[in-house]
Amino acid sequence: MSSRYQQGLGQDASSLSGPVRQRSKQACLPCRRRKRKCDGNLPCNICKGYGYDCEFDNGAQSANLKRPVPSDGSPQPGGKVTRLTYPQEHPKQPTESPFFPGILEPSKARYVGRYSSIAFPLYVGLEVQATKIPRLHSFAYHTGIRKEPPCAVTCEAAQKIPWNTARSLIEVYTATVHPVFGFLDMDQLYVRCEKHWHGQPQDLVFEAMMSGVIAMASLFSGTLDQDTEMWFILHAKEILEDCVISRFPSLEQIAAWTLRTIYMRCTARPHVTWLSSCTVMHLVEAAGLHHASEFVMQTTGNAAPSPEMFNIVNRVARVATSLHILIAFEYGRSIITLNGQILENLHPTTGAKDLTFQLCSLVAAVPTNLSGDALPMMQELFSSLDMITSVTVDHDFLLLLRADLALGIYRRLRVMDSKFQQGHNDRVIAAGTAALPAARRLASQNRPWWNVIGTVFQFACALLVMDTPTSCERLVETMDTLEMIVDHLNTHLAKEALSTARQLVRASLDKKRRGVESLEHIVRDASPDSTVSDTNDHLPQDTAAMSPSLTSQLPLDLDSLWAMEFQLPL
């Protein structure tokens, strides 16, 4: 995928960027002083990119403001730096950024902020108009007294399993995982895998990504034994953590780490899973996928990628971010937010229902920055609950995921001692109830998504805490579902969850019994003369002083009494 990325970046931009840029009749004063090509806008792209104060002669300014904004990127100052422009499905005017633009080195897919010490020598070279501008490099980053270790891994996956087995596992992944986490070009993956197994080895990063696909497919199909499946996971880990390979972040590296994180969420502990998702987010930043394109400059003059490649880039960033938010939100850890635009502008594909779009729509409703006053936080949580439960999903895993997010908001509101309205409780119960048959189906199909049992267990806990007639009714089906899934899985973690849920139900029952016993004790110990033996004992003896209308209705009907109009003497 990285090779296509580079090819896409090298395509002709004229077919992607609209009309050809017109040559400006008048350059701004900074561009004229520095002998740069100016686009004639105010501010122009050169001044906006380098932080110059853009200004025109009085006569030239009004003329230039009438020119249309060019649709291509910034010109190359000194033939070295240009602005990266991705094609937009819905073109819009670039917004002003409060930050300086970053720099992307496409050959290494490495992004740094403009204020970075690594970028500063390059800008100094531009400022002093050096003949040879310094490259984007970590000059003097350390003393250099030790050599870097060589790469310690080799391509071995093709020798581990035959091509027929690998091909069947790719088909399993395409049918089970890819519909929900659709961030890979499966057609290209299949072609490259076939070459990899037939004497045309691909690079190590591709092997790490491919190993993640095989491991996930084995997890969902049971094709490989656990030792072989674990070999692919550890092989991918060894590749991804090698210092020679990790120094060059790429789309394939982000994809491989995302696959590793999904596998860990299904099989590993919360802390290490969260750490893996954080690594994915840092790689998204390192590859420069977290910034809007109008605020990124390149160190070479490559054009924008093709629309197909842009879609892959977009989906890799959004799936990686969504996965991290899901893991951190559920675990109660910090959420790394690189840019608010990460979860925007992912448009559904045409044709079949785009489940990846539904996944990102669910996560987009999750509040990622809960800080400040309690009242605005609660209002944001209630609003998020309404949005999440109103998202329509068409996959059993997404039904469970929607319930997970609703339960996560419910837990946060309970910690804040929020007063729930009946409608909000009903939304949580409805989301959890819809997830129960989905969990039963996934368990019977041997689809071990991480929330097959977790959602049902958390829903049972929430129903016990709600303690309403509706929640008690739903608890019966929830516990039956949990028992069915545990019987099917027959694992230690599943049995442990069922045992804990039963303990909580018994504790709730004991609490209710103690309350009933206290009430029975009060009634049993009450003296006979203090009990109400007759409904008329408390009425006045002199009924003649009462209104005739009241006398005719004895014994009193309380409902009629409240509806009565009394005429009081003046």
Side-chain angles (χ1 to χ4, degrees):
M1 185 164 56
S2 60
S3 60
R4 283 191 66 192
Y5 183 42
Q6 300 302 332
Q7 295 170 6
L9 290 177
Q11 292 180 355
D12 182 16
S14 61
S15 62
L16 304 176
S17 304
V20 178
R21 179 177 61 85
Q22 298 179 358
R23 191 178 187 85
S24 61
K25 296 181 179 179
Q26 181 69 38
C28 66
L29 296 180
C31 289
R32 289 171 64 184
R33 287 195 297 266
R34 293 172 173 82
K35 297 181 180 180
R36 308 293 191 201
K37 292 181 180 180
C38 181
D39 59 20
N41 296 307
L42 181 65
C44 71
N45 279 333
I46 293 293
C47 293
K48 188 162 57 175
Y50 290 95
Y52 301 148
D53 294 329
C54 188
E55 55 181 342
F56 288 82
D57 291 337
N58 292 335
Q61 180 176 351
S62 59
N64 281 288
L65 288 177
K66 296 179 182 179
R67 296 194 184 98
V69 178
S71 59
D72 66 344
S74 301
Q76 300 180 33
K80 291 294 183 181
V81 181
T82 183
R83 185 177 303 277
L84 171 65
T85 304
Y86 287 108
Q88 299 290 333
E89 296 184 29
H90 302 283
K92 60 182 180 180
Q93 199 72 11
T95 57
E96 292 294 333
S97 172
F99 304 104
F100 291 113
I103 304 176
L104 177 66
E105 189 176 13
S107 62
K108 298 180 180 179
R110 182 173 61 187
Y111 168 88
V112 296
R114 179 181 175 180
Y115 39 78
S116 166
S117 62
I118 295 176
F120 192 57
L122 184 149
Y123 280 102
V124 172
L126 291 173
E127 186 68 25
V128 301
Q129 299 184 13
T131 303
K132 184 179 180 181
I133 299 176
R135 60 193 175 103
L136 190 67
H137 181 67
S138 53
F139 293 105
Y141 188 69
H142 54 70
T143 60
I145 62 176
R146 292 289 184 271
K147 293 182 179 180
E148 294 184 85
C151 182
V153 291
T154 57
C155 292
E156 301 178 15
Q159 288 75 42
K160 195 68 178 177
I161 58 175
W163 166 240
N164 288 337
T165 304
R167 180 177 55 189
S168 64
L169 288 169
I170 294 173
E171 293 173 354
V172 170
Y173 179 90
T174 303
T176 56
V177 181
H178 181 70
V180 180
F181 293 96
F183 61 97
L184 297 177
D185 186 339
M186 297 307 299
D187 293 335
Q188 188 200 24
L189 178 75
Y190 182 89
V191 171
R192 293 187 66 186
C193 283
E194 190 173 22
K195 292 179 179 179
H196 194 66
W197 258 267
H198 292 87
Q200 300 181 44
Q202 307 296 302
D203 55 77
L204 281 170
V205 178
F206 173 80
E207 178 146 330
M209 182 178 68
M210 176 197 60
S211 296
V213 170
I214 290 175
M216 282 299 303
S218 175
L219 180 67
F220 276 72
S221 65
T223 302
L224 303 178
D225 59 83
Q226 292 192 25
D227 290 339
T228 305
E229 180 183 310
M230 186 56 60
W231 181 91
F232 278 97
I233 284 296
L234 295 178
H235 181 57
K237 177 179 182 291
E238 188 179 13
I239 295 173
L240 294 174
E241 293 182 352
D242 188 276
C243 60
V244 177
I245 296 172
S246 60
R247 62 182 290 195
F248 300 116
S250 64
L251 284 177
E252 286 186 353
Q253 199 174 126
I254 298 172
W257 270 105
T258 302
L259 290 166
R260 173 170 172 77
T261 304
I262 297 173
Y263 185 90
M264 292 179 70
R265 181 59 187 88
C266 292
T267 61
R269 295 180 183 270
H271 175 69
V272 294
T273 304
W274 175 76
L275 288 178
S276 180
S277 73
C278 292
T279 300
V280 175
M281 290 302 297
H282 292 311
L283 286 171
V284 169
E285 180 183 17
L289 306 185
H290 64 299
H291 271 306
S293 58
E294 60 266 25
F295 304 125
V296 177
M297 295 180 297
Q298 292 184 195
T299 59
T300 57
N302 291 340
S306 65
E308 293 79 11
M309 196 62 227
F310 172 73
N311 182 51
I312 294 296
V313 173
N314 202 25
R315 284 177 174 262
V316 167
R318 279 145 181 79
V319 169
T321 305
S322 298
L323 182 62
H324 168 70
I325 292 175
L326 289 174
I327 293 171
F329 186 75
E330 179 189 35
Y331 195 32
R333 288 283 178 87
S334 299
I335 296 176
I336 300 175
T337 54
L338 301 177
N339 191 301
Q341 296 178 347
I342 282 290
L343 293 178
E344 297 177 4
N345 301 327
L346 180 61
H347 303 288
T349 56
T350 57
K353 292 180 179 178
D354 189 354
L355 301 178
T356 306
F357 175 76
Q358 295 180 7
L359 167 73
C360 294
S361 298
L362 280 173
V363 180
V366 175
T368 57
N369 186 18
L370 294 175
S371 60
D373 295 336
L375 183 59
M377 289 171 58
M378 288 189 292
Q379 292 174 345
E380 184 176 4
L381 286 169
F382 281 125
S383 177
S384 297
L385 178 62
D386 293 339
M387 289 189 292
I388 288 170
T389 54
S390 63
V391 174
T392 302
V393 293
D394 301 293
H395 193 277
D396 286 340
F397 168 73
L398 296 179
L399 286 169
L400 295 174
L401 194 61
R402 185 176 62 183
D404 284 336
L405 296 175
L407 291 168
I409 292 177
Y410 176 80
R411 292 192 297 267
R412 282 160 173 80
L413 288 170
R414 282 200 58 83
V415 170
M416 299 172 69
D417 294 328
S418 176
K419 301 298 182 183
F420 281 86
Q421 297 179 0
Q422 185 59 40
H424 293 115
N425 264 343
D426 292 342
R427 284 182 176 272
V428 176
I429 293 176
T433 303
L436 296 179
R440 293 193 294 268
R441 286 192 295 268
L442 290 175
S444 62
Q445 296 167 4
N446 295 318
R447 298 288 185 258
W449 290 106
W450 63 78
N451 48 13
V452 165
I453 188 169
T455 302
V456 182
F457 174 77
Q458 291 292 331
F459 186 43
C461 293
L463 293 174
L464 286 172
V465 173
M466 290 179 186
D467 196 19
T468 63
T470 303
S471 68
C472 290
E473 292 176 4
R474 294 292 182 268
L475 187 59
V476 177
E477 181 185 1
T478 304
M479 291 300 298
D480 289 342
T481 301
L482 186 61
E483 292 174 357
M484 172 263 178
I485 296 173
V486 171
D487 290 340
H488 188 83
L489 295 175
N490 195 28
T491 62
H492 168 71
L493 288 178
K495 295 176 181 178
E496 184 181 52
L498 178 60
S499 175
T500 303
R502 286 172 173 169
Q503 289 177 10
L504 294 175
V505 171
R506 283 193 292 268
S508 177
L509 179 60
D510 292 340
K511 176 184 175 182
K512 292 180 182 296
R513 282 174 174 167
R514 289 193 298 270
V516 170
E517 290 174 358
S518 297
L519 294 176
E520 290 177 343
H521 180 74
I522 295 173
V523 174
R524 184 170 55 251
D525 294 347
S527 57
D529 56 352
S530 64
T531 59
V532 181
S533 57
D534 189 358
T535 58
N536 296 329
D537 290 348
H538 65 287
L539 297 177
Q541 297 298 320
D542 187 7
T543 57
M546 301 177 64
S547 169
S549 60
L550 277 178
T551 307
S552 62
Q553 294 188 32
L554 293 177
L556 287 177
D557 182 358
L558 189 58
D559 292 334
S560 301
L561 182 63
W562 281 114
M564 192 74 66
E565 293 184 1
F566 291 95
Q567 295 182 353
L568 301 179
L570 299 178

